[in-house]
Amino acid sequence: MTKFQIERRRLLIAGGAGALALAAGRVLPAQAAEDPFRIGALNPVTGAGGTYGPGMQKAILFAVDEINEAGGAAGRTLEVFAEDTQTTPDAAVTAVKKLIEVNKVQIVMGTWSSGITLAVMPITTEAGIPEMNTSGAPAISTEDKDDLVWRFQATNGRFGRAFAEIAEQRGFKRPATMAFNNASGVGNTEGFKDAWEAKGGEVVASVVYEPKRASYRSELQEVLAADPDVIVTGSYLPDTTIILREWYQSGHENKWIIPGWAANPKLVDALGPEVTQGVIAVESIANEKAPSYERFARMYKEATGNDASTNIYAAMTYDMAIVWALAMEAAGPGASVAEINAKIRDVANPGGKEVYSFEEGKAALKDGPIDYQGASSRLDFDEYGDVTPDFSEAVVQPDGSFKRVSVVKI
Amino acid sequence: MSFGYLLNLAVNGAIEGSIIALGALALTLVFGIARFPNASAGDVITVGAYAGYGGQLASGGLMAAGVVSGMVGAAAISLAFYWFVFRKLAGRSAVYPLIASIGAAFLIRAAITFFLGHDQRVYDVPLTRAVALGPVRVVPTDLYLAAGALAALAVVFALLHMTPLGRRMRAVADNPDLARASGISARRVMTAMWLIAGAVSGLAGVLLGVKTVVMPEMGWDLLLPAFAATILGTIGNPVGAVVGGLLIGVAQELSTPFVGFTYKIGVGFLVLLLVLMVRPQGLFSGAERVR
């Protein structure tokens, strides 16, 4: 359908609504209650995030369908305007400006990767628009002065705490860290260091490396000289591939704790099971036992044909739309964006009736406070608007498969 | 900080430096003969890495097939750029082909990401453990790498100084008008030069791919240190390019106990600055120049 047709259809609908209102003998206010609430879906459809972005976008769309089918939120239907960040900050900035200025969206949701969220945040905050993201950098918490930014992914600091928890459970005594020199990588290892030292432990060596090197041998040499029993990383797939290969060649025998976005089946494909067996992969996991996850997983399978477990971020973007709609419902008809924004903790944090869908939440709100249990996590937002999901600890088996050995709650 | 520790750092630097050196070798040929800094050299290296990966895959895992197809693939794209772009800009100021080469670089990278995506690829090379030579730990694959870099240097050097083609190349580099007046076809010489530079880039790509992972930005990331090595070793001098690459690699790694890993890249460029302040023409000027 062309843009023109959409515009024409919208005109017809608007015209029809106007005629109805006139027939009822009322004049429509400028901001009619029937106006759909405008959501900007800003996802990494292409570029490095292209594995996840299309599914994230679809999850927002079917969440909004679900909300509209349940009669909308606070008497209003929701409408989605989608843009692609191309997984680059400059494209994301252009896209968010278009969403705000042209589409007049009232909330932006679904940014992936910290660099993009950090680039988009100042623009949305300036416009007084809430921003919901799936990024990990600790800086996002402190940059958000107006409490308009909501994070549905674990912070890198929390990843670090999960690493420390696992290192303690496994009885490691001499951990070292290696981190890619950016906000996310250093955030992971600093988070680990803080949590580990709080437990009374000591980190024997820490290296922050510059990316895009032809070799990381000197960096490894420095870390291995301290004779660690485990190396904790904040890294990505390509550098992890190179580092693990060089580590194997060096002949050392220590263990590795690596975030799940770097220690995944592609890493095993690249290096083979002999090098990677025993690698401990830690990643945040969805709220797998909750009915909300079940429902989301079913809809995700229908919409994309893929298994929901392949896209943790889609569960997060699904929750973004549901939580926002519940906040709209709680704020009541005619509420401003700021008033809705202020209701997010009320509908998601502990202290009310636990609900697992928009429909259920909408009904329960009539009787009192609710606590939405999301598909991606329990969705309890702290003072910074950050959530604390559960983490999975998986170990690479001798045949190269990943086996989950425990679920870590921090 | 023991002597052995520093020695290992120096070896690591030399290995990394030999990859930089291969890139610098390709750059210096173009720099010396076609007389412009070829910004597409990095992405021709990337093409070599992908072509080598494809060749190894197609041959069922033969590394030799990977090396050959990497060199052929990169030489082909290098020649294509000469034929369709740089040839048309001959005789203009170096800024024209420089800007065109930046465009060519973007074109290659966009084409690679469009058709092959961002996912990393890995050469199928058996992993070996390091062997201890005294205090130094050496990985056998790194020795192949260094040998590859040296062999490429030897072949290029021999071509330039021991063949009639090399003499003609040096003549064109020295004075294109005089060369033409003496009956040397500049086009033939240029064709040969772009083929050689492309093949060297292809080898660099395959070796870098074996050492790291094959990704669309790999060659571009190598470009800056390679340019530095070219200038350090005197523009147009193949021996200088290789020595410059090794020097930058070793200086970077040896600086890490003092400045840390985040700033070692800066040290590489500091070396470049210091040398150029003393010898603005580079280390090897006057001795073994192409031009």
Side-chain angles (χ1 to χ4, degrees):
Chain A
M1 191 188 290
T2 65
K3 229 182 182 139
F4 173 70
Q5 280 172 311
I6 297 175
E7 294 298 325
R8 196 172 57 177
R9 195 178 62 169
R10 221 187 259 151
L11 271 177
L12 281 173
I13 294 169
L20 274 175
L22 282 177
R26 284 194 290 133
V27 177
L28 282 173
Q31 268 277 318
E34 288 79 9
D35 253 8
F37 191 91
R38 305 159 87 86
I39 292 175
L42 188 57
N43 311 117
V45 181
T46 56
T51 333
Y52 304 112
M56 295 166 74
Q57 196 182 73
K58 285 215 173 71
I60 294 178
L61 288 169
F62 65 65
V64 163
D65 285 346
E66 182 188 331
I67 294 157
N68 288 341
E69 275 160 29
R76 298 174 76 174
T77 53
L78 274 54
E79 189 178 4
V80 178
F81 296 86
E83 281 292 328
D84 180 10
T85 66
Q86 299 171 29
T87 328
T88 62
D90 44 341
V93 164
T94 314
V96 78
K97 283 186 172 155
K98 184 247 173 192
L99 283 173
I100 294 171
E101 285 160 15
V102 180
N103 301 125
K104 311 275 186 219
V105 300
Q106 293 149 290
I107 179 170
V108 168
M109 50 179 74
T111 50
W112 184 91
S113 131
S114 303
I116 287 165
T117 299
L118 286 166
V120 165
M121 273 169 60
I123 299 166
T124 52
T125 302
E126 177 70 31
I129 289 176
E131 206 275 349
M132 295 178 160
N133 65 77
T134 65
S135 312
I140 293 170
S141 309
T142 47
E143 289 297 306
D144 171 30
K145 304 274 193 289
D146 301 351
D147 202 25
L148 282 171
V149 179
W150 304 91
R151 184 201 313 250
F152 286 65
Q153 160 73 308
T155 62
N156 294 118
R158 284 181 174 79
F159 263 93
R161 268 160 60 195
F163 294 158
E165 199 64 38
I166 290 164
E168 189 187 30
Q169 278 170 22
R170 291 187 162 251
F172 291 122
K173 296 279 177 264
R174 301 178 54 80
T177 65
M178 290 184 82
F180 187 99
N181 190 15
N182 73 5
S184 160
V186 177
N188 276 340
T189 55
E190 287 292 315
F192 167 76
K193 199 173 176 204
D194 292 346
W196 183 254
E197 286 173 354
K199 290 175 190 290
E202 184 207 356
V203 175
V204 295
S206 296
V207 159
V208 175
Y209 58 83
E210 279 301 308
K212 300 172 178 175
R213 310 294 305 162
S215 163
Y216 297 96
R217 277 183 63 172
S218 300
E219 287 82 347
L220 266 171
Q221 189 182 329
E222 165 107 1
V223 166
L224 294 173
D227 192 27
D229 52 10
V230 63
I231 301 175
V232 177
T233 72
S235 50
Y236 294 106
L237 179 62
D239 42 299
T240 303
T241 308
I242 301 167
I243 288 173
L244 279 189
R245 184 195 285 139
E246 292 181 332
W247 162 78
Y248 176 83
Q249 291 178 324
S250 79
H252 280 77
E253 298 281 337
N254 58 278
K255 297 290 183 194
W256 290 86
I257 297 178
I258 300 175
W261 57 79
N264 56 25
K266 283 178 184 164
L267 181 73
V268 179
D269 285 349
L271 295 171
E274 198 190 337
V275 180
T276 47
Q277 69 165 294
V279 163
I280 300 161
V282 181
E283 79 192 315
S284 68
I285 48 173
N287 201 6
E288 291 162 344
K289 297 215 169 71
S292 47
Y293 180 77
E294 231 168 82
R295 181 189 185 113
F296 157 76
R298 197 179 59 240
M299 291 198 284
Y300 188 79
K301 181 89 187 176
E302 271 170 30
T304 66
N306 296 322
D307 209 60
S309 61
T310 57
N311 192 343
I312 172 96
Y313 305 104
M316 296 177 197
T317 55
Y318 172 81
D319 281 345
M320 289 173 187
I322 301 289
V323 165
W324 183 256
L326 286 171
M328 282 175 70
E329 188 70 36
S336 70
V337 169
E339 284 161 352
I340 301 168
N341 188 63
K343 287 284 180 195
I344 286 183
R345 285 190 187 84
D346 293 356
V347 297
N349 285 13
K353 180 175 187 283
E354 292 193 355
V355 297
Y356 295 92
S357 72
F358 173 73
E359 213 175 343
E360 202 186 330
K362 187 179 176 180
L365 268 171
K366 295 192 175 77
D367 307 323
I370 58 165
D371 173 10
Y372 175 62
Q373 302 287 301
S376 60
S377 75
R378 296 182 300 278
L379 286 185
D380 299 337
F381 294 95
D382 69 3
E383 53 178 316
Y384 299 110
D386 298 340
V387 296
T388 306
D390 295 338
F391 291 86
S392 109
E393 174 194 11
V395 177
V396 181
Q397 303 296 302
D399 67 352
S401 65
F402 282 77
K403 185 179 164 200
R404 185 185 288 181
V405 294
S406 75
V407 170
V408 181
K409 293 178 190 287
I410 57 168
Chain B
M1 193 189 320
S2 65
F3 176 68
Y5 184 87
L6 291 177
L7 202 59
N8 272 301
L9 284 181
V11 170
N12 298 347
I15 303 291
E16 198 174 336
S18 57
I19 294 175
I20 298 174
L22 273 171
L25 189 57
L27 274 178
T28 215
L29 279 172
V30 180
F31 227 149
I33 296 173
R35 295 200 171 158
F36 72 94
N38 177 20
S40 69
D43 292 275
V44 174
I45 288 173
T46 312
V47 169
Y50 276 94
Y53 171 80
Q56 196 200 17
L57 209 63
S59 69
L62 281 179
M63 198 55 228
V67 172
V68 171
S69 69
M71 290 175 76
V72 169
I77 195 111
S78 172
L79 187 65
F81 277 130
Y82 165 62
W83 199 253
F84 294 112
V85 183
F86 301 130
R87 190 168 59 101
K88 323 254 183 206
L89 298 171
R92 295 190 185 227
S93 107
V95 175
Y96 289 85
L98 168 63
I99 303 289
S101 72
I102 294 174
F106 283 130
L107 183 71
I108 297 178
R109 219 167 323 140
I112 288 174
T113 46
F114 184 80
F115 289 108
L116 300 169
H118 266 101
D119 280 352
Q120 66 173 23
R121 288 169 167 75
V122 181
Y123 277 89
D124 182 16
V125 181
L127 288 173
T128 46
R129 300 277 196 179
V131 232
L133 296 175
V136 181
R137 301 184 71 85
V138 183
V139 182
T141 36
D142 283 346
L143 290 181
Y144 291 126
L145 200 101
L150 282 179
L153 171 69
V155 169
V156 168
F157 195 79
L159 266 174
L160 283 177
H161 291 273
M162 291 155 78
T163 64
L165 174 68
R167 262 195 300 282
R168 286 199 293 272
M169 282 168 96
R170 285 186 291 150
V172 172
D174 199 34
N175 187 333
D177 294 328
L178 190 61
R180 199 179 317 120
S182 337
I184 294 173
S185 156
R187 183 173 296 180
R188 266 208 209 139
V189 164
M190 283 296 182
T191 303
M193 186 278 289
W194 282 102
L195 277 174
I196 297 168
V200 170
S201 303
L203 181 65
V206 173
L207 293 178
L208 183 61
V210 167
K211 178 98 180 122
T212 61
V213 292
V214 180
M215 290 193 70
E217 290 85 16
M218 57 189 293
W220 180 257
D221 294 334
L222 188 70
L223 198 61
L224 212 53
F227 264 129
T230 308
I231 295 167
L232 182 62
T234 301
I235 293 168
N237 186 317
V239 177
V242 171
V243 174
L246 291 174
L247 266 180
I248 285 182
V250 172
Q252 275 181 3
E253 297 310 305
L254 281 182
S255 73
T256 55
F258 311 102
V259 301
F261 296 101
T262 322
Y263 299 107
K264 68 177 175 186
I265 297 144
V267 171
F269 286 93
L270 192 67
V271 170
L272 176 69
L273 277 179
L274 291 178
V275 171
L276 292 186
M277 276 160 75
V278 185
R279 258 184 95 82
Q281 67 276 45
L283 287 174
F284 285 77
S285 150
E288 304 280 356
R289 299 172 64 182
V290 173
R291 18 190 303 219

